[in-house]
Amino acid sequence: MARYLARRLVWAIVLFVAVTMVTYVIFFIVPANPARLACGQRATQDCVQRAATYLGTDKPVYVQYGRFLKRLVIHQDLGRSFTNRQSVNHVIANAAPVTFSLLFGGMVFWLMLAIPIGIMSALRPRSLLDRCAMLFVLIGISAHPVWIGLILSYFIGFKAGLTPISGYCDLWNPTGDCGGPVQWAYHLLLPWMTFAILYAATYVRFIRANVMETLNEDYVRTARAKCAAESRVMRSHVLRNAMLPIVTILGLDLALGLGGAVFTESVYGLPGLGKTAISAIDNFDLPTVQGIVVFATCGIIFFNLVVDTLYAWIDPRIRLT
């Protein structure tokens, strides 16, 4: 297990260096003059020279990247915004909790929806429940998150008035009446439902297929032939093996959700990483965009490493491959 984790950790470090290198080249080498962008539209030659010295763009490329990597790894410093001179670390620290609240709350919602529907659909194939589940899968896979968000906002938030249609309340730092666990969850209900519909559709189909395949395995038939209780067969033999691949796609979907959150955040006006990145792109704020990309990449690497570890712990055969 230790050797397996060591190999995965080495690959994670290699991937981190490769991604940061590509990211740095895209954001600071490809632009014609990032120092001029840092000085704004009314840039003077003196300002451009001072900005080039500060950014390090007057040095060779390998020196620039070495300084960037050193600052990132040793000091965890992602630089300062071109638009408001704030620390990019501070900008990400304010936006990341919103995105992670959306992501992990949505994950709980879609798992609570997908697991029972997928299992019941597999146990009763071609029943009314199975046909309704497949219709739900078709709608969830085909629909765009912006469309789903607008439909939910109109019918549930605007017409029924059951939930807010925009805004975010901080979980830990209340501002007036907006804040605390209740208001935080209340304002995120619609975004969580949007995420749940998008991902639950895929998980219903995947869980249904895995459970139906596992039900036909020899060890399930053997357990039933030994007169084992059906509940024990389902719990110990079917679900334990059928749910194993869910761990893999769950980690991948959490990583991909960091990028897909931009649509949901835009619909509901959530001040998360996606909305911050769009605003930074509009203002040519290269350090902020780069910082968000690097942060999201680290998140993806971390999620994949956790998934690999869990998968090897659940199924020891993985360690030998």
Side-chain angles (χ1 to χ4, degrees):
M1 185 67 177
R3 288 199 302 269
Y4 174 83
L5 291 178
R7 289 199 305 269
R8 294 298 180 184
L9 189 59
V10 169
W11 276 113
I13 294 173
V14 171
L15 182 60
F16 171 76
V17 173
V19 170
T20 53
M21 184 181 299
V22 172
T23 304
Y24 187 82
V25 168
I26 291 175
F27 287 104
F28 280 91
I29 305 300
V30 173
N33 196 341
R36 182 170 293 277
L37 291 175
C39 290
Q41 295 180 349
R42 299 180 180 179
T44 63
Q45 190 61 32
D46 181 58
C47 177
V48 172
Q49 290 178 354
R50 284 188 286 108
T53 303
Y54 174 76
L55 295 173
T57 54
D58 56 342
K59 303 294 183 182
V61 175
Y62 62 90
V63 176
Q64 295 182 41
Y65 175 70
R67 288 181 174 180
F68 165 75
L69 196 61
K70 178 182 177 182
R71 188 175 72 244
L72 178 62
V73 174
I74 297 179
H75 303 289
Q76 294 82 48
D77 184 13
L78 291 167
R80 290 192 171 272
S81 168
F82 283 172
T83 56
N84 54 22
R85 308 303 178 188
Q86 278 190 340
S87 169
V88 176
N89 293 42
H90 179 70
V91 174
I92 293 177
N94 289 334
V98 181
T99 300
F100 283 120
S101 296
L102 171 65
L103 192 61
F104 287 99
M107 178 196 70
V108 173
F109 264 60
W110 83 60
L111 288 179
M112 290 175 59
L113 187 63
I115 291 177
I117 293 177
I119 293 174
M120 293 174 65
S121 180
L123 294 177
R124 296 175 176 84
R126 289 180 291 278
S127 64
L128 179 61
L129 173 65
D130 186 34
R131 296 178 189 277
C132 292
M134 291 303 101
L135 178 62
F136 169 72
V137 167
L138 181 62
I139 295 174
I141 292 176
S142 305
H144 194 276
V146 173
W147 182 82
I148 295 176
L150 292 175
I151 292 296
L152 292 179
S153 296
Y154 180 76
F155 286 103
I156 298 179
F158 179 69
K159 282 291 187 181
L162 297 177
T163 62
I165 60 176
S166 65
Y168 176 78
C169 289
D170 198 282
L171 176 62
W172 308 111
N173 302 308
T175 303
D177 294 333
C178 185
V182 175
Q183 288 295 323
W184 169 78
Y186 182 53
H187 280 75
L188 285 173
L189 275 177
L190 282 183
W192 286 342
M193 290 171 64
T194 303
F195 248 73
I197 292 174
L198 288 172
Y199 285 93
T202 303
Y203 278 71
V204 167
R205 184 178 63 174
F206 196 70
I207 292 171
R208 177 182 181 273
N210 281 354
V211 172
M212 291 183 68
E213 182 180 355
T214 307
L215 286 170
N216 294 321
E217 294 290 344
D218 291 338
Y219 55 83
V220 175
R221 286 196 289 266
T222 302
R224 284 173 171 167
K226 291 181 178 180
C227 298
E230 188 65 21
S231 59
R232 183 179 179 183
V233 172
M234 288 296 301
R235 183 179 63 253
S236 302
H237 298 281
V238 177
L239 296 183
R240 185 173 181 179
N241 291 280
M243 294 297 154
L244 191 59
I246 302 298
V247 176
T248 301
I249 66 169
L250 183 60
L252 295 175
D253 284 338
L254 283 176
L256 293 174
L258 286 173
V262 60
F263 299 109
T264 307
E265 290 176 359
S266 299
V267 172
Y268 296 105
L270 299 177
L273 292 174
K275 187 176 180 181
T276 304
I278 291 177
S279 177
I281 292 172
D282 291 339
N283 296 318
F284 297 101
D285 190 355
L286 299 182
T288 301
V289 180
Q290 182 197 39
I292 292 174
V293 171
V294 171
F295 178 78
T297 300
C298 291
I300 291 172
I301 293 173
F302 173 76
F303 287 142
N304 286 334
L305 187 62
V306 170
V307 166
D308 288 340
T309 305
L310 287 176
Y311 210 81
W313 177 69
I314 294 172
D315 189 353
R317 295 172 298 178
I318 302 297
R319 307 173 200 171
L320 305 176
T321 59

